[in-house]
Amino acid sequence: MAFNLSHIHEKLGVTSSHDGTPVNSITLFVLLLCACVVIGHLLEKSRWMTESVVALIIGLFTGIIILLSTEGQSSHILLFNEELFFIYLLPPIIFNAGFQVKKKQFFRNFMPIILYGVLGSIISFLIVSLGTLQFFQTLDVGLLDLGDYFALGAVFSATDSVCTLQVLNQEETPLLYSLVFGEGVVNDATSVVLFNAIQRFDLSHITSVNIMQFLGNFLYLFLTSTLLGVAVGLLSAYIIKKLYFGRHSTDREIALMILMAYFSYMVSELLHLSGILTVFFCGIVMSHYTWHNVTENSRITSRHAFATFSFMAEIFIFLYVGMDALDIEKWKFASNSPWTFVAASAILLGLVLLGRAAFVFPLSFVANLTRKSKSEKIGFKQQVVIWWAGLMRGAVSFALAYNKFTSSGHTQLQGNAIMITSTITVVLLTNVVGGLLTKPLIRSLLNPHPHSYSIHSEKSLSLPLLLNGQESVANMDTGNPLDSNHTVHYYWRMFDDKFMRPVFGGRGFVPFTPSQTDRALY
C-alpha cells in the first residue's frame, strides 16, 4: 500500500526548502553529515579545530552554494521547527552526557557545579535581561515587550556544553572538564526552566509575592524533574534485573534502556517539567544500576549506541545552524537597519562576557571556601579557562530563540528578525572563536601534561569498553559518587549496599564471573 512520504515529513515539521522532494533533501543532508564525520576524523589531532566548528563551517559553505544555486531564495536543504530539536535531537545528547559522566568527579565537585549551573545561570540571566532592557531601548530594534527582554536573558544564559566538551580533555584537565561539563548540563536545564517560567509569568504585575511564587515554582520544577529521572532510572534497573532479558535476547535489553530513557524525557515534558534535567539524572542512575544488570555484550553495545546517537545529533544541529546563518528571509528584514543589528549583536556579546565573569570569579571564591585541600581549590588561571570555555552559545540558545521570536523558523517582524540574526551571530562568534582559542588558552595558562590518549580516543569505537569481563578504567568510573575520605560517601556506600543494590542491582552486589556470562548478572 502506497503512502505519502511528503505528508509524513510535513507532520514532523521537516520540509524541503526548495523544489526538490524531501527524499532528495534528506539524502543530501545525510551526505553532508558523512562529510562532517570524515573531515572531523582527519582533523582529530588538531589543536585548533573541533567537530562542532567543522560542522558549522561545512554548513556555512553549503548554505552559500544553495544560496547561489537558488538565486538568493534559500540557504537550506531542510527546514524544521524548534520542537524537533527538543523532542528528537536534544534527549540523546543530554542522556549520553549523564550516562557517560564520571560520577566520582561529578559528585565530588557537586557544590561548585550547582553554584555555577543554578546560581550562576540566574546571575547571568539577570545581567543579560536588565542589560538588554537598558541598552535596546536606545536602539530602533522594534517592538519588544518586557517578556522578550527576560526571554533573551534565558536564551543567552545557556552555555553550549556540547562544543565545550570537545575542546576540553578529561585526562589532561579532569577538574576543569568536570566543572564545565557539569555546569553546562545543569545550566541548560536551568535556562530552559527559566525560559518556560518566564513564558507563564505575568510580568505586568511584578510584586514580592509573585517573585516568591516564581522562585518556588523554579525549585519545584528543578526537584521534581530530578526525582522523576531517578525514579525512571531505578524502574529500568529493577525490570531488567528481575526479568533478565539477556537470556533470550540482548537486543531487548538495549531496546528497553533506550525506550525508558526517552520515556523519562517525554513524561517530564508531558508534566511540564524540565526534560533535560530528568533525562540527565536518568542517565546517571542507569549507568550506576541498570548498565550493570545487562549482559556483557549489551554493555558494550549500549554504551557505543548511546554515544553514537549523541554524536549524530550534535553534528546535525551544528550543520543546520551553519546553513541557517545565511537564511535570506531573516537577513532581508534585519538588513533594513544594519547598524541596529550590529549594535544589538555587540551588546548581546558584551553582556554574555560580562554575565559569565560576574558569577564565575565570585562563585569560585565561594566554592574554594568549602575546599580544605589546596590541591582541590580552583585557581585563578583555572577560573579564567572556566570563564572562557563556558562562553560558547549553541543549540539550546538557538532553539529557545526560535521558540520565542519565530514561528516554525520564519519571521516577518523587524524586531524578531534582528533578535534571530543577532542570536546566530553570537552563536557563530562564540563557537568559532571560542572553539579555536580554548585549546591554546589551556596550554598557555595551565600547561597540562598530555596522556597517552585523549578523551576523543576514549570514545572511539576501536577502544574496548570492557577488559577481561571488567570495566575499562579509562571509560567507566569504577568509584562511587563521592571521595572515600568523606563521611557522606561512607554513609552513601552503606545505604547503597544495604538497600539499593539488593533491589536494583549494580556493580559489586554480585561478583561478576566472565566465564559465566549467562548466569552472572544480578
Side-chain angles (χ1 to χ4, degrees):
M1 182 175 64
F3 59 93
N4 192 336
L5 185 60
S6 300
H7 179 69
I8 293 176
H9 286 98
E10 184 178 353
K11 286 292 185 182
L12 289 174
V14 181
T15 59
S16 174
S17 62
H18 46 83
D19 293 335
T21 64
V23 174
N24 293 338
S25 300
I26 292 175
T27 302
L28 183 55
F29 205 94
V30 170
L31 181 61
L32 290 174
L33 290 173
C34 293
C36 291
V37 173
V38 173
I39 296 175
H41 169 72
L42 295 176
L43 298 176
E44 178 73 22
K45 297 186 181 298
S46 172
R47 293 179 54 184
W48 299 84
M49 300 294 287
T50 66
E51 287 173 330
S52 298
V53 175
V54 170
L56 281 171
I57 294 175
I58 292 178
L60 284 171
F61 277 107
T62 305
I64 293 173
I65 294 173
I66 297 174
L67 204 60
L68 294 175
S69 64
T70 59
E71 298 180 352
Q73 295 183 4
S74 175
S75 65
H76 296 90
I77 298 173
L78 297 174
L79 290 175
F80 69 97
N81 58 37
E82 69 282 346
E83 291 181 359
L84 277 178
F85 168 78
F86 284 107
I87 295 176
Y88 299 110
L89 298 178
L90 189 60
I93 296 174
I94 302 301
F95 174 79
N96 185 65
F99 196 80
Q100 303 281 0
V101 67
K102 288 181 177 288
K103 295 183 290 296
K104 179 183 289 187
Q105 284 290 336
F106 180 83
F107 285 99
R108 178 182 292 168
N109 299 300
F110 190 73
M111 180 59 69
I113 285 173
I114 293 299
L115 285 175
Y116 292 150
V118 179
L119 185 57
S121 298
I122 294 175
I123 293 173
S124 178
F125 161 76
L126 291 174
I127 289 178
V128 175
S129 299
L130 298 178
T132 52
L133 180 62
Q134 177 68 30
F135 292 112
F136 279 14
Q137 290 182 349
T138 62
L139 301 174
D140 186 20
V141 173
L143 296 176
L144 294 179
D145 56 29
L146 188 60
D148 293 335
Y149 293 113
F150 281 103
L152 283 173
V155 167
F156 288 99
S157 63
T159 63
D160 181 16
S161 56
V162 172
C163 190
T164 301
L165 296 186
Q166 294 181 1
V167 297
L168 293 178
N169 190 308
Q170 188 167 3
E171 302 304 319
E172 292 182 353
T173 55
L175 176 61
L176 288 179
Y177 186 93
S178 175
L179 291 175
V180 177
F181 164 75
E183 177 217 341
V185 176
V186 177
N187 168 278
D188 286 345
T190 304
S191 300
V192 174
V193 170
L194 283 172
F195 183 85
N196 292 334
I198 287 297
Q199 299 294 92
R200 299 192 296 264
F201 189 62
D202 184 10
L203 296 172
S204 60
H205 300 86
I206 300 179
T207 64
S208 57
V209 175
N210 289 341
I211 294 176
M212 293 302 296
Q213 290 177 344
F214 175 80
L215 293 176
N217 185 45
F218 176 81
L219 292 175
Y220 167 77
L221 290 175
F222 208 92
L223 293 176
T224 50
S225 301
T226 301
L227 292 176
L228 178 60
V230 172
V232 175
L234 292 176
L235 178 62
S236 69
Y238 182 80
I239 292 175
I240 290 180
K241 176 177 178 291
K242 287 297 183 182
L243 299 183
Y244 183 28
F245 290 84
R247 66 170 167 242
H248 297 303
S249 171
T250 59
D251 297 340
R252 292 190 178 96
E253 291 180 321
I254 300 172
L256 187 61
M257 292 177 70
I258 295 174
L259 292 173
M260 290 295 287
Y262 193 65
F263 174 75
S264 72
Y265 183 87
M266 295 309 299
V267 169
S268 182
E269 292 297 313
L270 185 65
L271 298 176
H272 303 290
L273 303 175
S274 172
I276 293 178
L277 205 60
T278 297
V279 77
F280 174 69
F281 277 96
C282 180
I284 291 180
V285 172
M286 289 181 71
S287 70
H288 190 65
Y289 295 107
T290 311
W291 191 77
H292 298 278
N293 295 340
V294 300
T295 61
E296 182 176 343
N297 288 336
S298 294
R299 295 182 191 181
I300 299 174
T301 305
S302 62
R303 192 163 283 274
H304 287 316
F306 296 146
T308 302
F309 291 151
S310 174
F311 173 76
M312 290 192 297
E314 295 165 11
I315 298 301
F316 184 100
I317 291 169
F318 283 103
L319 184 61
Y320 184 84
V321 169
M323 286 188 291
D324 194 73
L326 298 175
D327 182 30
I328 195 67
E329 183 177 282
K330 301 180 184 68
W331 290 104
K332 180 167 53 179
F333 288 95
S335 63
N336 295 332
S337 303
W339 293 111
T340 302
F341 154 71
V342 172
S345 301
I347 289 171
L348 287 171
L349 185 59
L351 290 173
V352 168
L353 293 167
L354 177 63
R356 185 155 184 85
F359 76 80
V360 167
F361 298 104
L363 295 183
S364 296
F365 174 78
V366 174
N368 285 335
L369 296 178
T370 64
R371 296 175 171 236
K372 298 179 180 179
S373 174
K374 186 177 181 180
S375 61
E376 294 181 347
K377 293 184 180 296
I378 308 170
F380 179 74
K381 292 182 178 179
Q382 292 175 316
Q383 296 175 29
V384 172
V385 174
I386 293 172
W387 168 72
W388 179 263
L391 288 174
M392 286 175 272
R393 298 297 181 263
V396 174
S397 296
F398 189 74
L400 291 179
Y402 265 47
N403 184 281
K404 180 63 179 178
F405 298 107
T406 73
S407 174
S408 298
H410 297 278
T411 179
Q412 302 291 333
L413 300 176
Q414 178 177 320
N416 288 355
I418 291 177
M419 291 301 97
I420 292 296
T421 51
S422 298
T423 300
I424 293 173
T425 302
V426 173
V427 168
L428 287 176
L429 287 176
T430 54
N431 272 275
V432 175
V433 177
L436 293 178
L437 296 183
T438 300
K439 288 183 179 180
L441 180 67
I442 292 175
R443 286 178 170 83
S444 63
L445 289 181
L446 304 179
N447 190 26
H449 300 288
H451 291 246
S452 57
Y453 58 89
S454 68
I455 186 64
H456 299 291
S457 64
E458 180 180 322
K459 293 180 180 178
S460 172
L461 296 182
S462 63
L463 181 66
L465 290 167
L466 298 176
L467 302 176
N468 299 324
Q470 299 294 332
E471 299 171 41
S472 168
V473 176
N475 288 288
M476 193 67 188
D477 179 19
T478 57
N480 276 277
L482 297 171
D483 189 3
S484 57
N485 294 326
H486 290 76
T487 305
V488 176
H489 171 258
Y490 172 76
Y491 286 110
W492 160 252
R493 278 300 305 268
M494 289 181 59
F495 175 79
D496 196 29
D497 291 338
K498 187 174 182 180
F499 298 103
M500 301 299 289
R501 293 180 191 267
V503 177
F504 302 105
R507 178 182 174 86
F509 178 65
V510 175
F512 180 77
T513 306
S515 60
Q516 298 177 342
T517 305
D518 294 334
R519 302 194 307 271
L521 298 175
Y522 324 123

